[in-house]
Structures are given as C-alpha cells and as structure tokens.
Amino acid sequence: RKEVEQDPGPFNVPEGATVAFNCTYSNSASQSFFWYRQDCRKEPKLLMSVYSSGNEDGRFTAQLNRASQYISLLIRDSKLSDSATYLCVVNDRGNKLVFGAGTILRVKS
Amino acid sequence: DVKVTQSSRYLVKRTGEKVFLECVQDMDHENMFWYRQDPGLGLRLIYFSYDVKMKEKGDIPEGYSVSREKKERFSLILESASTNQTSMYLCASSLDRVRLEQYFGPGTRLTVT
C-alpha cells in the first residue's frame, strides 16, 4: 500500500463549479498535513496546511479525518487559474514529508 | 518570502560525467532536501540534511551523494551520470523540526545522453 494515495484524475470541471479531492495516508502517527499545488513544468508550491479542526483560505477548505486517515481539499467557485496538479502531503518520521502522486484538475470555460 | 535557488534550469550531460547540482536557500532553514520527479512516479526523496555536514539517505540514494558545508547550500552530486538519471531535480528547504512545510526551488531538468 502506498503511504499517500490520491485519485490521479483528471477532474474536468466547468468554471464556477465546486470540486473536492480526497487523499488517504497509511501512517497513523503522522502529525502534519499539507496540500501543495504544482503547475505544469513548475515546482510544487504550498497551498495550505491542514489542521485538525479544518481550515479555510478563501475558496479553499481543507479537512482532516484522523480516524479514517484521510484529508480532503474543497475548491469552491473554480477559476480557470485553478487548473493544476494538487499534491497531498503527509509527514513521515522526523522531518520527512511524503508526497502523493497528485490529482490533476482542469477547469474549463 | 522564502527563496530557494538552483544553479541551472536545464542541463545536458554525457554518460559517465560527474554532475553537480547546487541549491541555495536564503531563509536560514535548518533542513534541506533533494528530490527527483518523473512522470507517473511523483516526487521521490534522494537525500536530505538536518544540519551542516549532516546527511541522511532518502528513498532512492543509489548513484547520488550530497554535500552540505554551509547551512544555506546543499549540493547533489551524480558521481557517474547514467541515462536513467535523466529527470527533473527539485531542491527544497524547511525551517526546523516543528515547521515542516517545504519550499521548493524552480528545479533543474537534467538530460543524460
């Protein structure tokens, strides 16, 4: 079983739609969780950290479910500029992070 | 803003050459990492470092070595480049053992012919 699993997609959605991605992780001792965004041929960039209580940043909402070992990302009112690959990231032992393979989002007009 | 820079965006080397990839961060981060990214395989950790002169193997260290002589600089060395080391190489840094979020450099696309 992979340490971090994501649906690779692609998710094709119209502008203005709401879209959600889930990610499961295998290490129950993980304490830190993140979503990164990666544009084509660019480096990954931190989108948001995921906290136990859930957190929101504008149109983006992240949730953590420790019991089921999954995290989610909800994007409301999708924009063309949201098209990217979204990486689910979980900490392994110590300072290491484990990156999922990513979910591709394509927002179309 | 955190800034992580890498010495080259594109590099072409011949099989058997020794290759140096340099990474510099300007935010006094303790931790630095080298990854490679290949289509369908995602990011894979090669080596990382928690402190100057310290290094730890990641998931795929074979064929690579690293050097961290100064806190801000972390070098990846391909001792004898091979065609299966053609890849995108990404350097990242993070603040310390509590703040784990990593910040990436722009990447070096290495082609070994």
Side-chain angles (χ1 to χ4, degrees):
Chain A
R1 182 184 172 189
K2 289 183 181 176
E3 292 181 75
V4 178
E5 293 206 56
Q6 298 182 247
D7 181 343
F11 285 62
N12 295 301
V13 303
E15 273 186 292
T18 295
V19 61
F21 310 134
N22 285 336
C23 157
T24 58
Y25 60 95
S26 61
N27 185 354
S28 59
S30 295
Q31 294 293 323
S32 298
F33 309 89
F34 308 96
W35 282 101
Y36 276 70
R37 171 198 169 121
Q38 186 172 23
D39 293 296
C40 188
R41 296 186 171 274
K42 299 279 192 177
E43 73 274 22
K45 292 187 177 177
L46 179 66
L47 180 64
M48 58 197 305
S49 302
V50 186
Y51 304 120
S52 296
S53 55
N55 49 303
E56 188 173 307
D57 183 2
R59 297 181 294 108
F60 298 83
T61 301
Q63 298 278 355
L64 167 64
N65 185 318
R66 286 189 186 273
S68 301
Q69 293 182 210
Y70 78 82
I71 67 174
S72 64
L73 177 68
L74 182 79
I75 305 175
R76 289 181 299 278
D77 189 23
S78 298
K79 312 289 185 192
L80 293 175
S81 57
D82 293 334
S83 297
T85 298
Y86 290 84
L87 307 175
C88 172
V89 185
V90 175
N91 83 293
D92 193 9
R93 298 171 301 279
N95 297 3
K96 288 171 55 179
L97 296 181
V98 180
F99 288 76
T103 297
I104 297 170
L105 172 65
R106 296 183 184 139
V107 182
K108 298 182 183 299
S109 59
Chain B
D1 274 354
V2 176
K3 188 139 187 207
V4 181
T5 57
Q6 294 183 228
S7 49
S8 306
R9 292 299 302 273
Y10 300 94
L11 209 52
V12 180
K13 295 291 182 181
R14 292 185 184 275
T15 302
E17 279 193 83
K18 192 168 185 175
V19 182
F20 294 86
L21 302 182
E22 302 282 336
C23 175
V24 177
Q25 50 91 6
D26 67 357
M27 286 303 291
D28 202 34
H29 282 183
E30 290 183 5
N31 309 317
M32 296 188 76
F33 306 83
W34 275 107
Y35 296 88
R36 62 178 284 177
Q37 187 173 32
D38 301 286
L41 296 177
L43 280 160
R44 293 182 290 168
L45 181 64
I46 304 171
Y47 266 97
F48 58 106
S49 169
Y50 292 147
D51 202 350
V52 176
K53 297 194 186 294
M54 293 185 66
K55 60 185 178 184
E56 303 238 5
K57 292 180 179 179
D59 301 317
I60 52 163
E62 296 79 19
Y64 303 95
S65 62
V66 290
S67 172
R68 193 166 181 201
E69 297 295 320
K70 293 185 178 182
K71 190 174 184 179
E72 67 271 17
R73 189 179 297 269
F74 193 34
S75 303
L76 180 69
I77 303 149
L78 286 66
E79 297 292 342
S80 177
S82 63
T83 54
N84 62 13
Q85 291 178 311
T86 291
S87 186
M88 169 67 90
Y89 289 88
L90 288 156
C91 174
S93 70
S94 64
L95 180 62
D96 53 32
R97 292 177 185 261
V98 176
R99 294 296 302 271
L100 301 183
E101 54 268 37
Q102 293 181 12
Y103 297 89
F104 285 83
T108 295
R109 188 165 294 278
L110 173 68
T111 302
V112 183
T113 62

